[in-house]
Amino acid sequence: MAIAPASASNPATSAAKDYDLPWVEKYRPHKIADIVGNEDAVCRLQVIARDGNMPNLIFAGPPGTGKTTSILALAHELLGANFKEAVLELNASDDRGIDVVRNKIKMFAQKKVTLPPGRHKIILLDEADSMTSGAQQALRRTMEIYSNTTRFALACNTSAKIIEPIQSRCAIVRFSRLSDRDILDRLLRVVQAENVPYIPEGLEAVVFTADGDMRQALNNLQATFSGFQFVNQENVFKVCDQPHPLHVINIIRHTTGGNIDEAYTGLKQLYDLGYSASDIITTLFRVVKNYDMPEYLKLEYLKEVGFAHMRIADGVGTILQLSGLLAKLCIIRDEAKAV
Ligand SMILES: Nc1ncnc2c1ncn2[C@@H]1O[C@H](COP(=O)(O)OP(=O)(O)OP(=O)(O)O)[C@@H](O)[C@H]1O
Ligand SMILES: [Mg+2]
């Protein structure tokens, strides 16, 4: 699969404009087939794009995983040249109160557009979880009355924020965080297309900082490139301002060696660099998850890191909290050794 910049299909975009375009937009896939990861969801969409007759859909999943991209690609593939007149796109930046549903959406649903058989007008409601429940209520009947001619596609981060009656009228397409492999493949294509000097460890660091979010990965890559013109681990962690995992790995190594003083020194260094407790605990969690240690010990470690994360999220993000965690980890390791 070749990666084509958005401008390739749009000659109106000048080269100079291209230069300024954020990579997330420049490399936003335009075809469903180019969307990476979430194979089941993408397969379903391809079937819908082929056969037409799109049901009402809810796309739910974490940020930067391709929801908006898939909705737009699906609408383009279904409607082709009719996209402009047959699609109404509203996102959280538009007013979507109850009046808009009553007027704009209803008017659009009533509008007559000649489409090939099996195709419908599409109303895209992006970031639908920010719609008030009143506005969602007002959609219920509209969805049914105009189902002959108009279908809805909603995107949201948490499907629980969409009221039950709307959920029951829609098929849910779930997106999950993208795998490191998928993100790395995509980054490799982008660095080749953009001639970015890099070392593999640098790209791995970008993948680590992104945590399954493709948008974040591309943004971090571009930020590192424009800041340092070279993508290596050090530059990535400087730009992304996350604790360096190697540093955190050292802390964990000291706890598994029962060396609380050294572990604390490492922690204090991070804290003094200005990282917040929640930055540190997030990286700590991901490092422990991938750390090579006995299964039992790892589960116990994760449990304690989880509890500490909860307390930090509650607002107790002190160095005392974190050093308490290190002490717990040392005790766990001692107990595991005694067994
Ligand atoms: N699965 C994917 N395949 C390829 N590129 C992707 C994918 N997901 C995201 N991207 C890249 O990230 C950018 C943002 O993706 P998108 O707008 O679809 O995210 P989203 O799921 O709608 O997130 P949000 O919940 O924040 O709205 C896209 O422009 C694209 O470059
Ligand atoms: Mg979106």
Side-chain angles (χ1 to χ4, degrees), residues 78-147:
L78 280 171
L79 297 168
N82 294 315
F83 182 89
K84 259 215 165 105
E85 50 173 356
V87 173
L88 174 69
E89 189 190 347
L90 295 172
N91 57 42
S93 68
D94 302 299
D95 179 14
R96 290 186 303 192
I98 201 156
D99 291 340
V100 173
V101 175
R102 283 198 190 121
N103 303 320
K104 212 168 168 179
I105 294 186
K106 221 166 160 182
M107 289 243 287
F108 178 81
Q110 287 165 345
K111 192 170 94 172
K112 285 225 160 16
V113 179
T114 317
L115 294 172
R119 301 291 187 264
H120 302 87
K121 281 177 292 170
I122 301 178
I123 299 183
L124 306 179
L125 296 171
D126 208 354
E127 293 132 25
D129 34 9
S130 68
M131 284 175 78
T132 61
S133 80
Q136 293 186 35
Q137 295 285 0
L139 271 183
R140 292 166 62 169
R141 196 66 188 130
T142 315
M143 264 185 168
E144 285 172 352
I145 296 175
Y146 301 101
S147 60

Side-chain angles (χ1 to χ4, degrees), residues 16-35:
K17 236 178 169 180
D18 240 23
Y19 181 74
D20 291 325
L21 217 56
W23 291 350
V24 274
E25 289 312 325
K26 194 167 171 187
Y27 297 103
R28 187 190 281 276
H30 294 278
K31 293 202 209 93
I32 298 176
D34 292 344
I35 294 168

Side-chain angles (χ1 to χ4, degrees), residues 286-302:
R286 293 175 52 207
V287 165
V288 172
K289 203 170 72 179
N290 299 312
Y291 196 81
D292 182 25
M293 67 200 311
E295 186 76 4
Y296 163 78
L297 203 57
K298 187 186 273 193
L299 292 176
E300 288 295 314
Y301 264 49
L302 285 177

Side-chain angles (χ1 to χ4, degrees), residues 215-249:
R215 181 192 292 123
Q216 178 119 58
L218 289 172
N219 279 336
N220 289 351
L221 180 70
Q222 188 170 17
T224 311
F225 175 58
S226 43
F228 296 94
Q229 279 79 46
F230 184 64
V231 181
N232 64 10
Q233 267 189 337
E234 206 182 312
N235 294 346
V236 170
F237 288 110
K238 258 188 217 157
V239 166
C240 304
D241 208 20
Q242 286 188 11
H244 200 302
L246 279 182
H247 197 120
V248 179
I249 286 176

